């Protein structure tokens, strides 16, 4: 039995090698911007005569003798600041449209903005607030506080907000003793812990909750407005964003939340003093479905409104745009208003359009603005050239030289500005040059690490090649000799030693990180181990390889090649759901054609009667194929479209929910519930028919009642979580999900302790009479009593124990585990996605049925019967990935279903970001998780179906050697008695466990090839126009999907290993009873 554990360890080793290559490539391709820890500083000038740096006429004259030497000076603050961040406040939400009789729910609700613009046009400003992608809250807050460009990979940290150590406006305010008060989204306190004088922070990740955080802010905000011990007050409201996620912008709730925000703004305007500037802003926008995260116009166009009671704003004549403001421009603008240094890494420009026009003593207006603008320019130049020198080859030498020459010219030109006209000309040219630097950084910001990308590609490809040569081209019986306990132990010891060596001495080999070195050396030592085993067994590998026909499985190879070639074309990536559906249908039809061609092509000649045709395998195959194709075609209605698909009308996941008053709106919900009940019922009927629900073992009890409880909870959660009813408490809805989670955890524990669904009957044990509900009761009772009377003497002499459930001992445990796993996935999915998930399970059943017929009738030996055909493997593989789209997912950042993070947790039961991330991953990659953990069913059910449903292969007519048709026994071809079902696999456990290990490795190889092609595509298209919009997100999804798939394969094989070990103990116990 130890060999099975050895195979499991080898499978984990191979999974590590593939995953490490993907991880290393991602470190090179998705490198974040190199953060600099330098901090800006300045000497603040004061209006207080007692201060050392008091502004007087002599100081001003000294300043303008050499403007280039003023970068270390900060002018006095101009006002206090109140910042109201309304999450996902789209620009369209604040634009007042006159002459509209029936406004949309989000239109004309922020009337206070329109009123102030009309009554005080010089004291109020409304602009588009342009965000940089990715438009997730965490990355937007980083941009709003550091003035730097967030990088693509930062999106992945949205679950765990790391503290910002880069120079930022918050730290500058704290350093210069400017007190800040904060209320709202706890992301701020995660980014900036211990920075605020007072903070009222609340968890931000429960998108089902529209009011809790906002209500708490409204409770404390009036009290803070009445205090005078702060200079900056920040409030971050979440209700609008959560309403968009839950209902979308066209729902009535959106109108309610915007009206509520309108009252908040109105209240703040009334209570703020004249020495305060109010900034109302959104951190990002939202799509028509209420989502965000990408780079569409709807997602990047937020709103910015500025208002000051007493002071007018500087105006638009000094080079600042009055219609659009980049979000990174907020940082230097705030620094100007508050009189602090502009953060070191800032790339934004001061927007004088929202700077209060406050006079600085002894300075003319243009002189004040000149100092601000030139300090901003010096800061940007200092940061840009410092970054370029430390990260060589990031920018071209010619570009750097040209920019340096431009800067030298500006240093001379700034000394010649003597009037307002000269300043306007100067500031226009200076801003254009600053924007050129920003554009350059945007185009070449991510510094691709060619070394890590190359190593990642290499270390992903090598284990795939070596696994194919060593494992795919050897017989399962030969693994027992290769992967001995000693060999596996040394493999792990060498890898651990190599990893520790790389971790300890990475600096000696010029690696940039210990992680890179550890992965490098473990892969090198693993390559040596693989090469050793391949050379040692090369003769057998070559013989087995040469015995394979050159063009065997060519149609299947073409299908798989097309599926992995999708990544090399942006249009193919966009249309991937349809391409996958065609390939899946093609592979299933090919599988059915193989059965018809090899097994049943003589049936039509022999069975001309209608009754015979209805019972023929040909008709069954036809019906199975039609069913599967129909389900695939139905999945078209469940696909979500992408922004690039202009002709695709995406369904909104933010419908009104289930309601008894509107039956039409609940059809999807009812269908989903019916399918859940039907799915669990059919699964339970199969297990009962196979005898797996007999007895009282823990797993039997769980399998007997667990699926029913889980289906009730899943259906109830689906209806109530999306219900329009408002009197249902969230704790009751959460309880249903928690019950399902509890059943899944219980199943995992039971699998570890007592995995089998068997019933052990002691000798002379009297069994009750079993009555089938499908037949007449009286004849059954008579037959059973007669049999008991006839066999009484034999039963008295019986010394053998009886074990029920051995026919499907492996597959039953796998199916029960899969049932509970699917219930967890279903409770995380939306109603449409639930329908798609169960439809994919039905397609999988069809694939298993067709393949079982093919494999059994064409197998020439037991090993051949256990090992699935390549067509079946590819079909199962394509189905796992097709399920991603059938469950209404897309490979775009803005369409991640964040709602899954709160299923069972919205009532405050835990706020772990880790749990939230796991739930979202399970929701997103439900197909890979389910089907790869169930991969063994492809080989197991061939044996179970024959033992339980022998009519599937009755009357088989095979061609004989001389070309004539002849009826042969199905057991004659492979030389074993298949009636014993899966117990036959235990009797040949070396072959079985080796074949299961080989099958898992084959799936890992296919997944590895798929992610390798995604990596290669990103390498080729790293400067493509659509790299960050299409290719990079597709790689991220495929990379995470690979980690999930490899983990699922390990789980699937572990279940088989555990069942096999438990069965070994049961057989040992039975043999001891015989001896006694």
């Amino acid at each position: 039995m130890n060999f099975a554990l050895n195979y499991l360890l080898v499978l984990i080793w191979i999974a590590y090698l593939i995953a490490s290559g993907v991880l290393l490539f991602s470190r090179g391709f998705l490198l974040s911007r190199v953060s600099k820890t330098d901090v800006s500083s300045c000497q603040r000038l004061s209006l207080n005569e007692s201060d050392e740096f008091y502004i007087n006429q002599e100081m001003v004259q000294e300043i303008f003798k050499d403007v280039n030497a003023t970068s270390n000076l900060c002018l006095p603050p101009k006002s206090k600041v109140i910042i109201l961040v309304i999450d996902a406040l789209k620009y369209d939400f604040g634009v007042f449209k006159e002459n509209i009789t029936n406004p949309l729910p989000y239109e004309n609700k922020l009337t206070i903005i329109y009123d102030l613009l009309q009554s005080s046009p010089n004291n109020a400003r409304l602009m588009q607030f342009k965000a940089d992608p990715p438009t997730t809250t965490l990355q937007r807050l980083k941009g709003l506080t550091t003035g730097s460009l967030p990088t693509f990979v930062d999106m992945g940290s949205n679950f765990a907000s790391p503290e910002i150590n880069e120079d930022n406006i918050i730290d500058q305010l704290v350093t210069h003793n400017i007190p800040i008060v904060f209320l709202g989204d706890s992301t701020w306190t995660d980014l900036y812990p211990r920075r605020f004088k007072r903070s009222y922070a609340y968890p931000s990740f429960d998108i089902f909750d529209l009011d809790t955080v906002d209500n708490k802010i409204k409770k404390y905000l009036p009290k803070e407005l009445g205090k005078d011990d702060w200079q900056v007050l920040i409030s971050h409201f979440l209700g609008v964003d959560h309403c968009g996620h839950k209902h979308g912008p066209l729902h009535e709730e959106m109108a309610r939340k915007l009206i509520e925000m309108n009252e908040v703004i109105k209240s703040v305007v009334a209570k703020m003093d004249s020495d305060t500037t109010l900034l109302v802003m959104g951190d990002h926008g939202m799509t028509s479905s209420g989502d965000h995260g990408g780079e569409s116009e709807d997602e990047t166009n937020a709103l910015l409104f500025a208002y000051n009671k007493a002071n007018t704003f500087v105006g638009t004549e000094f080079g600042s745009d009055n219609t659009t403001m980049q979000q990174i421009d907020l940082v230097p603008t705030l620094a100007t208003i508050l009189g602090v240094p502009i953060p070191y890494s800032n790339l934004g420009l001061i927007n004088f359009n929202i700077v209060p026009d406050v006079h600085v003593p002894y300075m003319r207006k243009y002189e004040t603005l000149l100092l601000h603008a030139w300090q901003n320019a010096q800061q940007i130049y200092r940061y840009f050239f410092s970054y370029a020198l430390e990260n060589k080859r990031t920018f071209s030498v010619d570009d750097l030289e040209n920019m340096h020459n431009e800067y030298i010219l500006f240093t001379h030109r700034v000394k010649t500005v003597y009037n307002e006209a000269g300043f306007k000309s100067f500031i226009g040219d200076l801003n254009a040059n600053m924007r050129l630097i920003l554009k350059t950084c945007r185009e070449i910001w991510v510094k691709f690490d060619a070394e890590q990308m190359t190593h990642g590609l290499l270390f992903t490809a090598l284990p795939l090649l070596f696994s194919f040569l060593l494992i795919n081209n050897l017989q399962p019986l030969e693994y027992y000799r290769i992967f001995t306990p000693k060999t596996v132990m040394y493999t792990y010891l060498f890898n651990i030693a190599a990893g520790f060596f790389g971790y300890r001495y990475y600096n000696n080999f010029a690696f940039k990180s210990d992680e890179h070195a550890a992965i490098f050396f473990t892969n090198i030592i693993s390559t040596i181990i693989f090469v050793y085993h391949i050379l040692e067994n090369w003769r057998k590998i070559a013989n087995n390889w040469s015995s394979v026909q050159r063009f065997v499985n060519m149609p299947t190879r073409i299908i798989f090649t097309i599926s992995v070639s999708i990544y090399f074309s942006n249009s193919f990536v966009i249309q991937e759901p349809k391409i996958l559906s065609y390939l899946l249908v093609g592979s299933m039809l090919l599988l059915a054609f193989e059965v018809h061609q090899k097994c049943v092509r003589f049936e039509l000649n022999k069975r001309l009667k209608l009754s015979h045709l209805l019972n023929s395998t040909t008709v069954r195959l036809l019906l199975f194929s039609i069913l599967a194709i129909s389900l695939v075609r139905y999945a078209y209605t469940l696909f979500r479209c992408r922004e690039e698909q202009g002709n695709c009308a995406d369904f909104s996941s933010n419908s009104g929910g289930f309601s008894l008053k509107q039956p039409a709106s609940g059809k999807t919900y009812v269908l989903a519930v019916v399918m859940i009940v039907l799915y669990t019922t059919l699964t339970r009927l199969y297990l009962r028919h196979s005898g797996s629900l007999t007895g009282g073992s823990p797993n039997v009890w769980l399998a007997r009642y667990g699926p029913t409880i889980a289906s009730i909870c899943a259906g109830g959660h689906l209806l109530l979580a999306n219900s329009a009813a408002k009197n249902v408490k969230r704790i009751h809805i959460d309880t249903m999900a928690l019950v399902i989670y509890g059943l899944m955890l219980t199943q995992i524990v039971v699998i570890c302790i007592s995995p089998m669904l068997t019933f052990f009957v002691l000798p002379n044990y009297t069994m009750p009479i079993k009555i089938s509900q499908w037949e007449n009761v009286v004849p059954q009772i008579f037959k059973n009593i007669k049999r008991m009377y006839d066999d009484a003497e034999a039963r008295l002499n019986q010394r053998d124990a009886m074990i029920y459930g051995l026919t499907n001992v492996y597959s039953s445990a796998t199916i029960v585990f899969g049932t509970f796993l699917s219930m967890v996935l279903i409770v995380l999915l939306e109603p449409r996605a639930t329908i798609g998930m169960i439809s994919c399970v039905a397609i999988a059943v069809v694939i298993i049925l067709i393949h079982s017929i093919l494999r059994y009738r064409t197998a020439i030996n037991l090993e051949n019967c256990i090992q699935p055909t390549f067509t079946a493997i590819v079909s199962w593989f394509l189905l796992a990935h097709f399920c991603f789209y059938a469950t209404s997912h897309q490979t775009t950042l803005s369409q991640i279903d964040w709602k899954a993070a709160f299923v069972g947790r919205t009532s405050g039961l835990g706020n772990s970001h880790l749990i939230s991330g796991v739930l979202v991953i399970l929701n997103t990659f439900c197909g890979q998780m389910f089907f790869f953990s169930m991969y063994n069913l492809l080989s197991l059910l061939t044996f179970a179906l024959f033992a339980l449903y022998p009519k599937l292969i009755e009357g088989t007519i095979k061609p004989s050697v001389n070309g004539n048709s002849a009826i042969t026994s199905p057991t004659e071809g492979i030389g074993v008695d298949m009636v014993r079902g899966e117990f036959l696999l235990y009797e040949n456990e070396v072959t079985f466990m080796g074949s299961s290990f080989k099958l898992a490795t084959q799936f890992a190889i296919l997944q590895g090839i798929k992610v390798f092609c995604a990596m290669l595509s990103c390498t080729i298209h790293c400067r493509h126009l659509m790299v960050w919009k299409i290719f990079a997100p597709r790689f991220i999804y495929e990379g995470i999907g690979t980690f999930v798939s490899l983990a699922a394969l390990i789980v699937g094989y572990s279940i088989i290993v555990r069942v096999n070990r438990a069965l070994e103990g049961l057989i040992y116990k039975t043999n001891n009873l015989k001896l006694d």
Side-chain angles (χ1 to χ4, degrees):
M1 179 58 193
N2 288 334
F3 61 86
L5 295 176
N6 295 336
Y7 297 161
L8 177 60
L9 292 174
V10 173
L11 182 61
I12 295 173
W13 173 48
I14 295 173
Y16 159 75
L17 295 178
I18 297 174
S20 65
V22 176
L23 180 63
L24 192 58
F25 178 87
S26 69
R27 291 286 189 263
F29 176 66
L30 298 174
L31 269 179
S32 58
R33 172 179 52 85
V34 179
S35 298
K36 296 180 67 62
T37 57
D38 303 67
V39 178
S40 297
S41 62
C42 75
Q43 180 58 57
R44 302 183 73 195
L45 303 182
S46 173
L47 299 176
N48 190 343
E49 295 182 5
S50 61
D51 291 339
E52 179 182 358
F53 291 89
Y54 166 67
I55 296 180
N56 53 38
Q57 190 170 2
E58 291 77 13
M59 177 177 288
V60 172
Q61 291 176 352
E62 189 68 25
I63 287 173
F64 284 98
K65 283 183 180 180
D66 186 7
V67 181
N68 290 312
T70 62
S71 62
N72 64 332
L73 297 178
C74 291
L75 295 180
K78 296 175 173 31
S79 73
K80 297 196 297 184
V81 176
I82 296 176
I83 300 175
L84 300 183
V85 180
I86 302 177
D87 210 299
L89 185 62
K90 192 177 178 181
Y91 178 71
D92 294 345
F93 294 176
V95 177
F96 190 86
K97 298 180 180 179
E98 300 180 12
N99 303 322
I100 295 181
T101 57
N102 295 312
L104 297 173
Y106 64 81
E107 291 181 332
N108 295 355
K109 299 301 184 293
L110 299 178
T111 56
I112 182 63
I113 293 178
Y114 176 76
D115 294 339
L116 293 174
L117 288 171
Q118 295 298 311
S119 61
S120 307
N122 295 325
N123 298 70
R125 295 283 188 268
L126 176 64
M127 293 185 289
Q128 290 188 27
F129 203 31
K130 198 71 174 178
D132 290 295
T135 51
T136 52
T137 296
L138 174 63
Q139 279 62 48
R140 291 295 80 244
L141 293 184
K142 287 182 178 180
L144 289 171
T145 54
T146 63
S148 60
L149 295 174
T151 51
F152 190 89
V153 74
D154 284 342
M155 205 284 290
S157 61
N158 207 47
F159 280 115
S161 308
E163 180 178 354
I164 291 181
N165 297 315
E166 196 172 16
D167 196 11
N168 58 84
I169 189 67
I170 301 296
D171 283 337
Q172 286 291 352
L173 294 174
V174 173
T175 301
H176 292 85
N177 300 317
I178 296 179
I180 315 169
V181 173
F182 172 75
L183 307 92
D185 184 356
S186 61
T187 303
W188 286 82
T189 52
D190 292 336
L191 293 172
Y192 302 107
R194 302 174 302 280
R195 264 59 158 209
F196 302 108
K197 182 180 181 67
R198 288 185 298 275
S199 64
Y200 308 88
Y202 308 102
S204 61
F205 219 48
D206 183 2
I207 58 176
F208 290 103
D209 187 352
L210 308 186
D211 299 307
T212 299
V213 175
D214 291 359
N215 289 340
K216 290 182 179 179
I217 295 175
K218 289 190 296 180
K219 176 182 178 182
Y220 293 105
L221 182 58
K223 299 178 182 178
E224 291 298 333
L225 289 172
K227 298 178 181 180
D228 60 357
D229 60 347
W230 54 264
Q231 285 186 263
V232 177
L233 187 148
I234 303 172
S235 294
H236 192 144
F237 293 88
L238 297 170
V240 173
D241 177 65
H242 289 186
C243 182
H245 285 297
K246 186 175 182 180
H247 301 293
L250 298 177
H251 196 273
E252 296 173 356
E253 284 291 287
M254 182 60 75
R256 179 180 71 83
K257 292 305 298 182
L258 289 175
I259 293 173
E260 181 182 320
M261 292 299 100
N262 186 69
E263 294 301 317
V264 169
I265 298 172
K266 188 180 297 184
S267 173
V268 172
V269 169
K271 294 182 179 181
M272 62 185 267
D273 56 37
S274 58
D275 186 31
T276 302
T277 298
L278 171 64
L279 298 176
V280 180
M281 65 185 70
D283 56 343
H284 51 74
M286 66 173 64
T287 63
S288 58
S289 61
D291 298 317
H292 59 88
E295 56 182 353
S296 67
E297 288 293 319
D298 287 339
E299 294 166 282
T300 57
N301 280 341
L303 175 143
L304 175 66
F305 173 73
Y307 176 72
N308 189 297
K309 281 184 178 180
N311 299 307
T312 61
F313 293 116
V314 171
T316 61
E317 66 270 20
F318 296 101
S320 297
D321 193 345
N322 66 336
T323 60
T324 303
M325 178 175 169
Q326 300 290 328
Q327 284 195 357
I328 58 174
D329 293 346
L330 179 67
V331 168
T333 305
L334 282 176
T336 300
I337 297 174
L338 295 166
V340 297
I342 299 174
Y344 184 85
S345 303
N346 165 72
L347 288 172
L349 299 180
I350 300 171
N351 193 307
F352 292 116
N353 199 42
I354 62 171
V355 175
D357 190 3
V358 178
H359 176 66
V360 178
Y362 309 107
M363 287 188 189
R364 284 166 286 190
K365 182 176 181 178
Y366 83 87
E367 290 178 332
T368 303
L369 300 182
L370 177 63
L371 282 181
H372 285 309
W374 187 238
Q375 289 171 355
N376 187 189
Q378 287 179 304
Q379 170 267 315
I380 291 177
Y381 276 118
R382 183 168 58 249
Y383 168 65
F384 177 74
F385 288 116
S386 173
Y387 186 93
L389 289 175
E390 292 183 9
N391 299 272
K392 297 178 181 179
R393 296 191 300 274
T394 301
F395 306 99
S396 69
V397 177
D398 293 338
D399 288 342
L400 289 175
E401 185 176 355
N402 291 335
M403 292 177 185
H404 181 69
N405 292 336
E406 288 286 340
Y407 174 66
I408 296 299
L409 291 176
F410 279 118
T411 59
H412 293 289
R413 187 176 170 184
V414 70
K415 301 176 182 179
T416 64
V417 178
Y418 298 116
N419 52 45
E420 189 171 293
F423 171 71
K424 290 180 180 179
S425 174
F426 174 78
I427 194 64
D429 295 339
L430 182 65
N431 284 351
N433 190 257
M434 295 300 100
R435 288 307 190 199
L436 180 61
I437 292 178
L438 177 62
K439 180 182 178 182
T440 303
C441 291
R442 278 190 172 134
E443 290 178 349
I444 320 175
W445 196 256
V446 176
K447 179 179 177 292
F448 297 115
D449 190 327
E451 183 181 22
Q452 290 197 74
M453 291 174 66
T454 303
H455 288 172
L457 287 167
L458 179 65
F459 294 148
T460 302
L462 287 179
L464 298 178
L465 174 63
F466 294 145
S467 298
F468 173 78
L469 291 175
L470 182 64
I471 298 175
N472 193 70
N473 290 289
L474 287 177
Q475 302 301 323
L477 286 174
E478 295 167 339
Y479 304 152
Y480 182 83
R481 177 181 51 82
I482 298 173
F483 302 118
T484 62
K486 185 177 181 180
T487 301
V488 174
M489 180 186 68
Y490 280 126
T491 298
Y492 270 77
L493 289 177
F494 287 150
N495 273 267
I496 293 172
F500 178 78
F501 177 80
Y503 178 82
R504 179 66 177 82
Y505 299 103
Y506 72 96
N507 285 324
N508 301 54
F509 296 89
F511 288 107
K512 293 182 179 179
S513 66
D514 48 11
E515 178 188 77
H516 184 182
I519 292 175
F520 179 86
F521 286 111
T522 53
N523 274 269
I524 291 298
I525 200 69
S526 297
T527 298
I528 295 173
I529 294 172
F530 262 124
V531 171
Y532 169 77
H533 287 307
I534 291 172
L535 293 178
E536 186 181 35
N537 298 275
W538 180 250
R539 184 179 297 276
K540 293 182 179 179
I541 293 173
N543 290 336
N544 292 333
W545 203 352
S546 62
S547 64
V548 178
Q549 299 179 12
R550 179 174 299 180
F551 298 104
V552 69
N553 295 318
M554 186 55 66
T556 309
R557 294 181 187 180
I558 294 174
I559 288 175
F560 178 72
T561 302
I562 294 173
S563 71
V564 298
S565 301
I566 292 173
Y567 303 107
F568 296 95
S569 169
N570 57 325
S571 58
F572 278 17
V573 172
I574 294 172
Q575 299 296 338
E576 185 176 3
K578 292 184 178 179
I579 296 174
L580 268 182
S581 64
Y582 293 139
L583 296 178
L584 178 60
V585 169
S587 64
M588 289 189 298
L589 290 178
L590 184 61
L591 194 63
F593 175 75
E594 289 179 2
V595 177
H596 178 74
Q597 184 185 42
K598 297 178 181 180
C599 307
V600 298
R601 57 184 175 181
F602 295 97
E603 286 188 352
L604 294 180
N605 297 329
K606 299 292 182 179
R607 300 181 175 180
L608 299 179
K609 294 183 179 180
L610 179 62
S611 59
H612 289 169
L613 285 176
L614 293 177
N615 293 323
S616 70
T617 306
T618 303
V619 174
R620 290 174 181 171
L621 289 175
L622 181 62
L623 294 176
F624 289 157
S625 301
I626 293 174
L627 173 61
I629 294 172
S630 300
L631 291 172
V632 173
R633 186 64 186 87
Y634 173 72
Y636 269 63
T637 63
L638 307 174
F639 291 164
R640 296 193 74 175
C641 68
R642 299 172 60 108
E643 175 194 349
E644 299 86 356
Q645 296 171 306
N647 61 339
C648 176
D650 191 6
F651 70 85
S652 174
S653 62
N654 302 303
S655 59
F658 175 74
S659 175
L660 293 176
K661 297 180 180 180
Q662 298 177 348
S665 65
K667 290 181 180 179
T668 302
Y669 297 90
V670 173
L671 178 59
V673 172
V674 170
M675 293 188 71
I676 291 173
V677 174
L678 188 63
Y679 166 56
T680 53
T681 301
L682 291 177
T683 302
R684 192 173 183 279
L685 287 175
Y686 168 78
L687 292 173
R688 188 175 70 176
H689 178 76
S690 64
S692 299
L693 300 184
T694 304
S697 68
N699 211 8
V700 169
W701 278 94
L702 195 60
R704 187 182 299 158
Y705 303 109
T708 303
I709 298 173
S711 64
I712 294 173
C713 291
H717 184 276
L718 186 147
L719 294 176
L720 294 177
N722 299 278
S723 174
K726 297 183 179 181
N727 58 345
V728 181
K729 295 182 179 180
R730 291 300 312 181
I731 186 64
H732 297 158
I733 300 175
D734 288 345
T735 302
M736 297 182 185
L738 293 175
V739 168
I740 296 177
Y741 297 161
L743 289 172
M744 183 71 233
L745 293 175
T746 304
Q747 170 64 21
I748 294 174
V749 173
V750 169
I751 283 285
C752 297
I753 299 175
S754 178
M756 295 190 301
L757 285 85
T758 55
F759 182 37
F760 185 82
V761 183
L762 296 173
N764 299 327
Y765 183 84
T766 303
M767 288 292 297
I769 299 175
K770 292 185 177 181
I771 305 298
S772 175
Q773 59 180 328
W774 309 111
E775 300 179 17
N776 293 331
V777 176
V778 175
Q780 291 184 75
I781 296 176
F782 175 76
K783 291 179 182 178
N784 278 277
I785 293 176
K786 184 176 183 298
R787 185 180 301 112
M788 292 172 60
Y789 179 79
D790 294 339
D791 297 342
E793 184 177 355
R795 289 181 61 83
L796 289 174
N797 297 325
Q798 178 183 337
R799 300 296 300 168
D800 292 334
M802 299 175 63
I803 305 176
Y804 292 83
L806 293 181
T807 302
N808 60 335
V809 62
Y810 294 103
S811 63
S812 60
T814 304
I815 290 173
V816 171
F817 177 84
T819 302
F820 287 108
L821 176 61
S822 62
M823 287 295 104
V824 171
L825 300 175
I826 284 171
V827 81
L828 297 174
L829 295 170
E830 294 290 330
R832 284 177 177 263
T834 297
I835 297 173
M837 178 72 190
I838 299 177
S839 298
C840 289
V841 173
I843 296 172
V845 173
V846 173
I847 293 176
I848 289 173
L849 290 174
I850 296 175
H851 173 259
S852 296
I853 297 172
L854 172 66
R855 185 76 292 188
Y856 186 83
R857 298 186 180 187
T858 59
I860 58 176
N861 53 47
L862 178 63
E863 179 185 327
N864 195 236
C865 190
I866 297 174
Q867 183 65 30
T869 64
F870 184 61
T871 304
I873 294 174
V874 170
S875 298
W876 194 268
F877 180 80
L878 292 177
L879 177 61
H881 289 274
F882 174 79
C883 189
F884 174 85
Y885 297 102
T887 51
S888 304
H889 293 102
Q890 261 293 357
T891 55
T892 59
L893 300 180
S894 59
Q895 291 176 308
I896 299 175
D897 188 3
W898 301 111
K899 295 180 183 179
F902 316 108
V903 174
R905 306 170 61 232
T906 57
S907 57
L909 299 176
N911 294 313
S912 170
H913 290 298
L914 176 62
I915 296 176
S916 299
V918 170
L919 293 179
V920 171
I921 288 175
L922 287 175
N923 170 281
T924 306
F925 302 99
C926 57
Q928 290 99 310
M929 175 60 70
F930 179 79
F931 289 106
F932 285 130
S933 62
M934 300 289 104
Y935 80 95
N936 269 304
L937 295 181
L938 265 181
S939 57
L940 293 174
L941 287 180
T942 301
F943 297 85
L945 288 177
F946 172 76
L948 298 173
Y949 305 98
K951 290 186 178 180
L952 281 174
I953 58 173
E954 282 184 354
T956 302
I957 303 177
K958 293 186 179 182
S960 62
V961 179
N962 58 10
N964 299 321
S965 62
I967 300 177
T968 60
S969 170
T971 61
E972 291 178 4
I974 63 173
V976 294
D977 183 9
M978 292 283 288
V979 177
R980 286 178 291 172
E982 294 173 11
F983 185 68
L984 180 64
L985 300 176
Y986 172 76
E987 294 176 337
N988 299 270
E989 62 174 334
V990 176
T991 301
F992 168 56
M993 299 306 296
S995 297
S996 180
F997 164 69
K998 181 177 182 179
L999 181 57
T1001 305
Q1002 288 174 325
F1003 277 117
I1005 292 172
L1006 294 182
Q1007 182 61 40
I1009 294 173
K1010 192 173 177 67
V1011 74
F1012 175 81
C1013 290
M1015 294 158 59
L1016 186 61
S1017 170
C1018 288
T1019 305
I1020 296 172
H1021 298 303
C1022 64
R1023 293 302 178 193
H1024 192 280
L1025 181 64
M1026 293 291 180
V1027 62
W1028 300 119
K1029 189 175 183 65
I1030 294 179
F1031 295 110
R1034 189 65 192 88
F1035 161 69
I1036 289 177
Y1037 273 89
E1038 198 59 55
I1040 299 175
T1042 299
F1043 298 149
V1044 172
S1045 301
L1046 294 174
L1049 289 171
I1050 293 171
V1051 169
Y1053 188 71
S1054 299
I1055 293 174
I1056 298 302
V1057 172
R1058 182 66 191 94
V1059 173
N1060 193 71
R1061 194 174 190 87
L1063 184 57
E1064 184 179 23
L1066 182 62
I1067 299 302
Y1068 177 78
K1069 177 181 178 181
T1070 305
N1071 291 335
N1072 286 341
L1073 286 175
K1074 286 184 178 181
L1075 294 176
D1076 294 340

